Amino acid sequence: MFPRKSNASAPQWRPNPHPADQPGPWPRVAFWSALTALGLAACGGNDGSADLTARSLAEACPSYRASALPHNARVTSTEIRQAQSDLPEVCVVRGEIVSSPESTIRWAVELPQGRQWNGKTLTIGGGAFDGFIPTDDPWYQMLVGPSANPYVKISSDSGHQVQSFAWGNSDVALRNHAFDANHYVLEVGTAIATEFYGKRPTRRYHMGQSNGGRSALASTQKYPKDYDGVIAMEPAISQQAHQVNLGPTVLRHIFSKPENWLSAEKITLYARAETAACDALDGLKDGIIGNVQACDYVPTDLLCTGEENASCLTAGQIESIRLIYSSHDTPVTLARGARGYPRYGRGGAATSDWQAYMFGTSFAARDSFNFMAAQEAARLVERNANLSLLDHDPTRFSAEYLRLAEMIDATDPEISAFADNGGKLLIWYGAADTCVSMYRTAAYLESVRQLLGVTKVQGFARLLTSPSVGHNLDGATEPRAIDLLAAMDAWVERGTAPDKLVDTQFAPGSSTPVLQRPVCEYPKFPRYNGAGDPSKAESFTCSAT
């Protein structure tokens, strides 16, 4: 479920701190055998689910005592989180895994009332550089939506408690952040759920966005038997490519001169012009740039002919826009021999993305997230906490960037073990994303097809997109909703592939749908049929042209 209009801070790979900032594969059969050997039982040692369904969480939660947990995990507290808004009452079990002196994984497992548990677990990925527990953040609870409430929810801070990149000096911390923390905590959460309810989870899913989407994809590559289904939303699968290639090109240009930087007013000016130029390319003028591929608008008609003002763009600002829509190739070779980073999709100026991820709040602040992320990486590889990104040459630190990319990137196409285990992979992007390029992940999925074959990949994986939606999940038609978790569960349980999903806009403060579009498999987009109610999904066909 995509969040509707919210005042919560922007998500992972984001410039603003979230509220929490304040104050080797183990085969599933072996794991179940290990749990059985421990003689796991429900809290208090009774026969399990029947006991819990008759008891309130207020009784069961304080009395819960964990047996020996995997990976030397220890429980640090249990607490009741009272029902609030769309979230039910749950028992929250917290704990930690000390991996090394440089990396301690703090985790939380949310256990719903026994009668409400659907017998499944959901791992929720974090964002940006992690360092917080996603289930403690209302934004991430909104991200997975009410469909997640019957699940045991599992999350962690990925092995560090700060949101800078300083911990990247430790290989253990890097592995935890990249893929190990989710694996370890999944096994801990599975053991706790089995103890608490007296029965083993029947399905295990992973859902995350941006860096959380990257970690979701990483699980299919590193621990292919962990999950029955993986939902990767706008995954940041090549973070070092993002940092190495955007830093010396678009970001250096934007922040080198004030006349290259776009204010919120200038972003709006461009957004209106781009929409006017490209809106009808999908067969309907509706404020949505559906045919992203065909949009090649260059705002030379907005060039200032005299003194700069709010109704025109400088030559430097037009160049900034051109760079956003250009691919870049800094000569630094990263994991699997990759180089370069592709362009962004059209429509991001009409979302919050351009200000959040490219331009920030002011030229002087240099607080856009893309600038911050690239600067954090530059400071890590140069081991200089005060370095400015504008003074950094990534080509002098190729080996350091390669080390990070080989640890963190989720670009290995060999995921046949995940597919052969029955796993399903659902990737979704907002086509206007201006933080993470959807074209990078599209290229990755194509590499999977080349290795495993088109027919096999179509049997277990999909890449879906929604036009005019940015990385912050806002855009021209918000609020909108697609229940990706329910779609994944239907695919795993009933074999119903997510080929007929509908993107829905609701009336403000209402559950009444006012606008619908089909969710199309990349590179297709919703093209208007030329007739029919333009507010109905059936009036559109997914088309590649």
Side-chain angles (χ1 to χ4, degrees):
M1 174 72 79
F2 293 176
R4 300 184 185 179
K5 184 70 174 178
S6 167
N7 293 323
S9 55
Q12 59 273 44
W13 277 69
R14 60 190 180 180
N16 301 317
H18 57 75
D21 286 339
Q22 316 303 322
W26 190 0
R28 188 171 297 166
V29 172
F31 183 43
W32 296 141
S33 299
L35 292 178
T36 302
L38 287 173
L40 302 179
C43 45
N46 295 318
D47 117 288
S49 58
D51 175 64
L52 183 60
T53 56
R55 301 167 65 198
S56 69
L57 286 180
E59 296 175 286
C61 191
S63 62
Y64 171 70
R65 298 292 182 272
S67 301
L69 293 174
H71 308 291
N72 294 316
R74 72 180 189 93
V75 173
T76 56
S77 69
T78 61
E79 63 194 60
I80 294 288
R81 190 192 68 211
Q82 300 297 327
Q84 49 189 280
S85 185
D86 292 332
L87 297 176
E89 180 184 64
V90 293
C91 174
V92 182
V93 181
R94 301 184 184 276
E96 63 181 22
I97 299 170
V98 180
S99 297
S100 74
E102 297 82 28
S103 184
T104 294
I105 304 166
R106 294 180 182 169
W107 49 264
V109 177
E110 293 190 357
L111 303 157
Q113 171 61 251
R115 293 185 183 92
Q116 298 171 352
W117 185 44
N118 63 4
K120 306 170 187 180
T121 70
L122 176 66
T123 298
I124 301 174
F129 294 108
D130 287 336
F132 65 101
I133 295 178
T135 48
D136 290 343
D137 189 325
W139 198 94
Y140 290 86
Q141 292 283 4
M142 239 183 347
L143 178 73
V144 298
S147 289
N149 289 343
Y151 290 77
V152 167
K153 297 176 184 175
I154 301 168
S155 71
S156 81
D157 62 11
S158 91
H160 53 272
Q161 290 72 52
V162 296
Q163 292 201 339
S164 71
F165 206 4
W167 48 268
N169 287 314
S170 163
D171 281 0
V172 174
L174 281 171
R175 283 195 299 271
N176 281 337
H177 171 78
F179 44 80
D180 276 346
N182 280 334
H183 173 67
Y184 297 158
V185 175
L186 170 66
E187 295 187 331
V188 170
T190 301
I192 289 173
T194 303
E195 286 188 324
F196 196 77
Y197 299 109
K199 58 182 180 181
R200 300 162 184 161
T202 58
R203 300 290 186 190
R204 304 195 296 188
Y205 298 130
H206 188 308
M207 186 172 184
Q209 190 227 15
S210 196
N211 178 54
R214 179 207 56 78
S215 66
L217 276 178
S219 72
T220 70
Q221 300 162 25
K222 299 293 186 180
Y223 294 107
K225 295 187 177 182
D226 273 2
Y227 299 107
D228 299 282
V230 166
I231 302 168
M233 298 171 63
E234 302 177 316
I237 67 173
S238 301
Q239 293 178 7
Q240 276 59 61
H242 173 279
Q243 294 151 3
V244 163
N245 287 280
L246 293 186
T249 55
V250 57
L251 295 172
R252 181 168 293 172
H253 175 78
I254 287 172
F255 290 102
S256 63
K257 298 178 181 179
E259 55 264 36
N260 298 346
W261 181 83
L262 271 71
S263 65
E265 292 76 17
K266 293 291 186 91
I267 292 172
T268 299
L269 172 70
Y270 172 75
R272 289 172 178 164
E274 183 185 57
T275 301
C278 299
D279 187 358
L281 295 174
D282 57 8
L284 181 69
K285 294 203 71 172
D286 56 358
I288 299 172
I289 301 176
N291 192 352
V292 174
Q293 295 289 81
C295 180
D296 57 5
Y297 172 66
V298 179
T300 51
D301 56 317
L302 297 179
L303 179 64
C304 298
T305 57
E307 186 175 347
E308 180 186 1
N309 58 67
S311 62
C312 67
L313 298 175
T314 68
Q317 290 164 345
I318 292 174
E319 177 64 6
S320 294
I321 293 167
R322 187 193 70 79
L323 288 169
I324 289 171
Y325 292 135
S326 299
S327 297
H328 306 285
D329 187 11
T330 301
V332 174
T333 301
L334 299 172
R336 308 190 65 80
R339 265 183 49 166
Y341 197 75
R343 69 195 186 282
Y344 289 105
R346 293 279 179 161
T351 75
S352 64
D353 276 24
W354 275 31
Q355 183 175 55
Y357 297 103
M358 279 296 175
F359 297 100
T361 60
S362 73
F363 172 79
R366 294 174 181 167
D367 59 356
S368 72
F369 180 83
N370 288 346
F371 188 94
M372 180 276 291
Q375 183 164 268
E376 282 290 320
R379 289 174 173 179
L380 174 65
V381 300
E382 290 209 27
R383 298 179 182 270
N384 179 353
N386 299 311
L387 178 73
S388 167
L389 178 64
L390 302 182
D391 299 325
H392 176 63
D393 178 3
T395 64
R396 295 176 51 231
F397 299 91
S398 296
E400 290 83 356
Y401 279 113
L402 177 60
R403 166 184 170 264
L404 294 174
E406 288 183 332
M407 195 78 75
I408 296 176
D409 279 8
T411 55
D412 186 352
E414 177 46 276
I415 55 174
S416 58
F418 174 74
D420 293 344
N421 196 53
K424 305 297 183 186
L425 173 61
L426 178 54
I427 305 171
W428 174 90
Y429 265 97
D433 191 320
T434 316
C435 178
V436 179
S437 173
M438 68 176 176
Y439 300 112
R440 180 64 190 90
T441 300
Y444 165 71
L445 191 58
E446 181 58 28
S447 73
V448 177
R449 293 190 187 99
Q450 291 175 5
L451 182 66
L452 305 185
V454 172
T455 301
K456 180 168 185 172
V457 173
Q458 193 66 12
F460 76 92
R462 293 289 189 280
L463 169 55
L464 307 178
T465 65
S466 296
S468 289
V469 180
H471 195 73
N472 285 345
L473 307 186
D474 62 357
T477 59
E478 68 159 334
R480 55 176 63 225
I482 312 169
D483 198 335
L484 296 178
L485 180 57
M488 173 58 75
D489 194 45
W491 199 6
V492 170
E493 294 284 7
R494 301 190 295 277
T496 305
D499 296 331
K500 296 183 179 180
L501 300 184
V502 174
D503 191 347
T504 303
Q505 178 187 2
F506 295 92
S510 167
S511 59
T512 303
V514 295
L515 185 68
Q516 295 179 327
R517 293 289 184 272
V519 181
C520 299
E521 186 172 7
Y522 179 88
K524 296 179 179 180
F525 63 90
R527 175 174 284 284
Y528 184 53
N529 295 332
D533 185 345
S535 70
K536 302 293 186 183
E538 56 264 29
S539 300
F540 294 79
T541 300
C542 290
S543 171
T545 59

